[in-house]
């Protein structure tokens, strides 16, 4: 049996602790600060998913702060013309062993090009 | 002369790397995520201040030790500004400061937004 070093970032469990924003437009590009357990900046992805849809959040290695925080931008949702809020899952994924963290929730809201509801009236 | 262990959080320099917000209501209470160099959760303050000839003003960000994440991030709530009926935005400074020893980081700016203007902004957002 392999012995895992629980403290090593290559094998430790991934965990999302906190997000500063949990809602954003379905067009993406919402900036989010994530606090997490230790990750390696060159071996980590943030995956948004719902059913069979998956997309990667956008960030550079310099957006990974001291292994415990990541500042990223949300990917656009699969559909850009949603009319109701859609709840999706967000998780950390270690690329080397395809290990995922437990997911947290993020809500895509319709991108309202008509903020005052003029067209609806 | 004392010899400092530069790897120890007591002696290393304090630094604010990044904040998710640099402005907020004059009434305070806004949640801010701050990314920083190594701090000790029970020996750190977030000090908002203005320096003036007649003494100036200071107030502290509100957080508990559990809001300090792995020594490198702090989630806190902004303090209210000294006067809450400002009519134009006011920019102040904030810095990390150790409770013991009192050494501090380079300051960052934070802008307080007037309450009325803030209300209108909320109204506008609600209508969306």
């Amino acid at each position: 049996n392999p012995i895992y070093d629980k403290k090593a970032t290559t094998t430790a469990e991934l965990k999302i602790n906190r997000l500063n924003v949990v809602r954003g437009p379905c067009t993406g590009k919402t900036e989010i600060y994530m606090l997490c357990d230790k990750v390696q900046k060159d071996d980590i992805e943030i995956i948004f998913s719902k059913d069979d849809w998956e997309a990667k959040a956008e960030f550079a290695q310099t957006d990974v702060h001291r292994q415990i925080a990541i500042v990223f931008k949300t990917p656009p949702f699969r559909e850009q013309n949603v009319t109701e809020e859609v709840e999706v899952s967000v998780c950390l994924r270690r690329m080397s062993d395809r290990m995922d963290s437990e997911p947290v929730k993020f809500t895509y809201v319709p991108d309202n090009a008509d903020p005052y509801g003029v067209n609806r009236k | 002369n004392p010899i400092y262990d530069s790897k120890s959080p007591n002696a290393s320099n304090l630094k604010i790397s990044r904040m998710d917000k640099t402005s907020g209501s004059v009434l305070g209470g806004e949640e801010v995520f701050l990314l920083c160099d190594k701090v000790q959760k029970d020996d750190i303050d977030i000090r908002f201040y203005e320096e003036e000839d007649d003494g100036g003003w200071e107030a502290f960000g509100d957080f508990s030790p559990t809001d300090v994440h792995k020594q490198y991030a702090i989630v806190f709530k902004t303090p209210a500004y000294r006067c809450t009926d400002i009519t134009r935005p006011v920019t102040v400074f904030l810095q990390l400061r150790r409770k013991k020893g009192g050494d501090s980081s380079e300051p960052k700016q934070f802008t307080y937004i007037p309450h009325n203007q803030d209300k209108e902004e909320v109204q506008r957002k609600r209508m969306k």
Side-chain angles (χ1 to χ4, degrees), chain B residues 5 9 25 27 38 43 60 79 83 85 92 95 104 115 118 120:
Chain B
D5 173 359
S25 166
L27 301 179
K38 204 170 207 177
D43 185 25
F60 294 88
C83 118
D85 55 359
V92 305
Q95 64 183 184
S104 53
H115 182 45
D118 193 53
E120 278 169 26

Side-chain angles (χ1 to χ4, degrees), chain B:
Chain B
N1 277 3
I3 296 164
Y4 293 113
D5 173 359
S6 61
K7 292 274 175 72
S8 142
N10 287 317
S12 62
N13 287 327
L14 293 169
K15 189 184 166 202
I16 299 173
S17 298
R18 214 162 163 173
M19 298 190 302
D20 72 335
K21 268 190 205 93
T22 53
S23 67
S25 166
V26 70
L27 301 179
E30 305 249 358
E31 189 179 83
V32 178
F33 278 47
L34 179 152
L35 307 184
C36 55
D37 279 3
K38 204 170 207 177
V39 296
Q40 282 188 314
K41 62 184 175 192
D42 48 5
D43 185 25
I44 197 75
D45 277 332
I46 298 170
R47 176 177 176 254
F48 284 65
Y49 66 99
E50 276 182 315
E51 276 169 351
E52 277 162 23
D53 295 339
D54 60 0
W57 163 79
E58 72 172 12
F60 294 88
D62 179 22
F63 63 95
S64 69
T66 54
D67 294 317
V68 180
H69 176 70
K70 315 271 182 196
Q71 300 193 296
Y72 285 108
I74 306 173
V75 179
F76 69 95
K77 289 207 165 64
T78 57
Y81 184 55
R82 61 169 138 179
C83 118
T84 53
D85 55 359
I86 54 172
T87 53
R88 307 179 62 158
V90 175
T91 297
V92 305
F93 295 107
L94 75 146
Q95 64 183 184
L96 291 171
R97 195 168 77 172
R98 283 201 190 87
K99 296 181 188 191
K100 300 169 202 156
D103 47 329
S104 53
S105 71
E106 288 292 309
K108 295 271 185 190
Q109 291 190 328
F110 186 87
T111 301
Y112 280 111
I113 310 296
H115 182 45
N116 288 334
Q117 189 176 325
D118 193 53
K119 251 197 270 180
E120 278 169 26
E121 176 72 8
V122 171
Q123 205 93 51
R124 201 168 62 77
K125 280 188 178 154
R126 280 217 185 102
M127 287 177 79
K128 278 193 182 174

Side-chain angles (χ1 to χ4, degrees), chain A residues 45-58 74-79 88-95 98-101 103 108:
Chain A
E45 289 175 336
I46 298 169
I47 306 293
F48 280 62
S49 64
K50 184 181 177 61
D51 307 325
D52 58 354
W53 171 77
E54 252 191 32
K56 284 179 206 167
E58 196 187 305
T74 58
F77 185 54
R78 172 182 49 191
E79 292 141 45
V88 303
S89 295
V90 182
C91 70
L92 284 168
R93 176 174 295 164
R94 189 160 47 223
M95 293 185 264
R98 308 259 318 154
M99 190 67 82
D100 285 357
S101 71
Y108 279 114

Side-chain angles (χ1 to χ4, degrees), chain A residues 7 9 14-19 33-41 44 46 61 63-72 92, chain B residues 17 33-39 67-75:
Chain A
K7 295 262 173 85
T9 49
L14 298 166
K15 189 179 170 208
I16 298 172
N17 289 281
R18 212 156 165 175
L19 302 178
Y33 279 46
M34 172 195 284
L35 304 185
C36 55
D37 280 6
K38 270 191 174 183
V39 297
Q40 273 189 305
K41 62 183 175 192
I44 198 75
I46 298 169
Q61 289 188 17
D63 294 319
V64 181
H65 174 75
R66 303 287 181 169
Q67 302 192 299
I68 57 84
I70 307 175
V71 180
F72 65 93
L92 284 168
Chain B
S17 298
F33 278 47
L34 179 152
L35 307 184
C36 55
D37 279 3
K38 204 170 207 177
V39 296
D67 294 317
V68 180
H69 176 70
K70 315 271 182 196
Q71 300 193 296
Y72 285 108
I74 306 173
V75 179

